[in-house]
Amino acid sequence: MHTLSLQIQDVVGENVNICYQCEKCTSGCPVSPEMEFVPAQIMHAAQLNLKQKILGANSIWLCASCETCTTRCPQGIDISAIMDALRIIARREKVKAGVPSVPVFYNLCLLSLRFVGCIYELGVAGYMRFRTGALLEDMPVAKEFIKRGKIKFFPKFRNVGRINRIISRVKKYESI
Ligand code: SF4
Ligand code: SF4
C-alpha cells in the first residue's frame, strides 16, 4: 500500500514533502478557524502518513477551494489541489466524511448536472434542507430570491447530453 504522500502525488501530482511548515497557507485560509487541522497541519500529517487522522477530519470537507493557500505558498505547492486529492482518496476508501452534508451536496449537484444540465439551485437547496430536517428554515429568504428572479422556480434544461458525455469521459479517465 502506498503512503498518503504517494497517493496524493498519484492523484494530483503534488509533493507534500517539500512543505517546510512556514504556515503562510494557514494564515490566509478563511476557514482555518473552523478546521480540526489547519492546512499546514494537514501537510505535516500527510508527510507523516497520518492518513486516518486527515481523511476523517472536517478540514478537507470545509475547504472552500478558494486557492488562497496555493497562491501564498513559497514552495509553489498547490494545497487546494491536495485538498481535492484528499477528498477523492477519502471517498475511494469510503472514509466517513468529517462534515457529512458536504458530500451529500456534491452528489446532489452532480445529479442535477446529469438530469438538468446545470445546477437546479432550488432543487438542491430544498433536498439539502429536507436531509437536514430544516425544511422551512430558509423559506423567507428563498421566497425573496424567487420573487427577484435570482432563483428559478422550475429547472431550465440545457446541454444534458453534452454534460453526460463529459461525466462519462471523466469516469472513464478516473477508472484508468
Ligand atoms: S505555505 Fe507551503 S511551505 Fe508553507 S506551510 Fe503551507 S504548504 Fe508548507
Ligand atoms: S483552498 Fe481550502 S485550504 Fe486553501 S485557503 Fe482556501 S479554504 Fe483554505
Side-chain angles (χ1 to χ4, degrees):
M1 171 67 88
H2 280 344
T3 60
L4 184 58
S5 60
L6 280 176
Q7 280 186 290
I8 292 170
Q9 193 134 27
D10 275 353
V11 178
V12 284
E14 291 294 317
N15 180 6
V16 295
N17 295 312
I18 60 170
C19 164
Y20 54 58
Q21 290 295 299
C22 68
E23 299 198 355
K24 279 194 80 174
C25 50
T26 300
S27 57
C29 174
V31 281
S32 67
E34 308 302 325
M35 288 177 167
E36 286 172 64
F37 301 108
V38 295
Q41 288 173 322
I42 293 279
M43 302 299 289
H44 197 200
Q47 289 169 344
L48 298 174
N49 200 30
L50 299 174
K51 190 168 169 180
Q52 292 315 315
K53 259 198 182 338
I54 307 179
L55 297 187
N58 72 0
S59 318
I60 61 174
W61 297 102
L62 287 180
C63 166
S65 304
C66 68
E67 298 187 356
T68 309
C69 50
T70 300
T71 54
R72 289 170 67 97
C73 178
Q75 289 290 74
I77 304 170
D78 190 346
I79 303 124
S80 177
I82 289 172
M83 292 294 196
D84 285 339
L86 291 169
R87 287 189 287 265
I88 291 169
I89 296 165
R91 292 206 65 161
R92 276 186 192 157
E93 301 190 5
K94 302 196 183 341
V95 178
K96 194 167 172 265
V99 189
S101 56
V102 179
V104 171
F105 177 73
Y106 286 168
N107 286 341
L108 282 173
C109 287
L110 206 55
L111 207 66
S112 177
L113 281 173
R114 288 204 87 126
F115 288 98
V116 183
C118 61
I119 306 294
Y120 172 41
E121 287 117 336
L122 198 62
V124 171
Y127 192 73
M128 280 300 293
R129 283 295 173 199
F130 173 71
R131 284 287 301 258
T132 53
L135 195 56
L136 301 177
E137 207 173 84
D138 292 336
M139 274 314 251
V141 186
K143 261 167 63 183
E144 200 55 37
F145 273 134
I146 292 168
K147 210 165 81 188
R148 293 180 188 210
K150 299 288 181 199
I151 291 181
K152 298 281 173 276
F153 202 79
F154 295 107
K156 198 173 169 195
F157 297 88
R158 56 181 173 223
N159 301 322
V160 177
R162 234 171 107 196
I163 295 287
N164 275 286
R165 282 196 295 280
I166 293 171
I167 292 174
S168 302
R169 273 209 297 270
V170 171
K171 283 200 161 169
K172 208 164 132 193
Y173 169 77
E174 284 181 341
S175 65
I176 293 172

